[in-house]
Amino acid sequence: MTFGVFIHRTDSGYDDVPSERYQFPKKYLTRVQQCEGDWIVYLEPTKVKNTKGYFAVAKVQEVIADPRSADMYLAVIEPGTYLDFGDPVPFRDNDGIVEQGVLNDLGNISGRAQAAVRRLSAEDFARIVERGLGQDDDFLPRVDQTNQMPGFQDPQVPFQHLTARERVDQLTNRAVRDRNFRKNVLRAYGERCAITGLRLINGGGRAEVEAAHIRPVDRDGPDIVSNGLALSGTAHWMFDRGLVGLADDLSILVSRQSNDLEAVTAMINSSGKLLAPERLANRPRTEFVTWHRDNCFKH
């Protein structure tokens, strides 16, 4: 088993759904099979406008022939492992090329950087994941919860670079996944509640909006932006309890079981539709919207 890099772009002709599958031709079969049972990092190429760079990580569950396309194969992603980086990592930063394995003996970029699928050293994997998970500054407790009695604060622990396998342990940690999910959802929605349209920032500069899963994690919902909504606390509570839902065209539905239908309706933004992200890939996927309507919304 080995770590790997899979290059992906949303406008390609391949039948990719990064959180579920990666389609590739036979010439990459051996390389992808080496990653079976291990973790890969997704990279959006530098020639893509406003490229995200290394933008996500996932575990390859198995490699199979694509039953719908001759001479094509699929790397099937293990459910629940895909994670968008809260801080996408550029291919090149102020310190140079992040993925050192694509450099030749002279320190120049080699032809390996053009390969759509390639092996990734443990050191490069750890470095990319470390930067992708980023800092937790945006997720500190609210300002009114940070005050502590003097003399009881723990000393700051020096920063440590974790090994690749220690980074893998982080990738399955619920708190780490929640932080990255929140970062991505709030960024996609501009820190604005998708139902009310309100964008409220507290005194500490922290957005007063939450990242909600459309299909919950405990009901097999993935940690991806297209399964997320930025919602105010009240809107989040109503959505989770099925008092509001979404039609396939993202019109906001209000349950007839609400005890104050008029008040709930008044909370909805004037368009009557979800204020969805501009980027199509970040908008709620119909399969998750339908699941919520069938399993949570109170008709």
Side-chain angles (χ1 to χ4, degrees), residues 32 34 38 54 66 83 85 102 142-143 162 182 197 203 210-211 249 295:
V32 176
Q34 291 174 336
D38 218 332
Y54 303 93
D66 190 338
L83 182 66
F85 288 142
V102 299
R142 298 168 189 255
V143 173
L162 303 181
R182 182 177 190 272
E210 302 168 359
D249 66 353
N295 295 274

Side-chain angles (χ1 to χ4, degrees), residues 181 185 189 194 210-214 225 227-231 239 246 274 284:
F181 178 73
V185 170
Y189 284 84
E210 302 168 359
H213 287 84
I214 301 173
V225 177
N227 184 41
L229 299 173
L231 299 175
F239 187 79
L246 297 171
L274 192 82

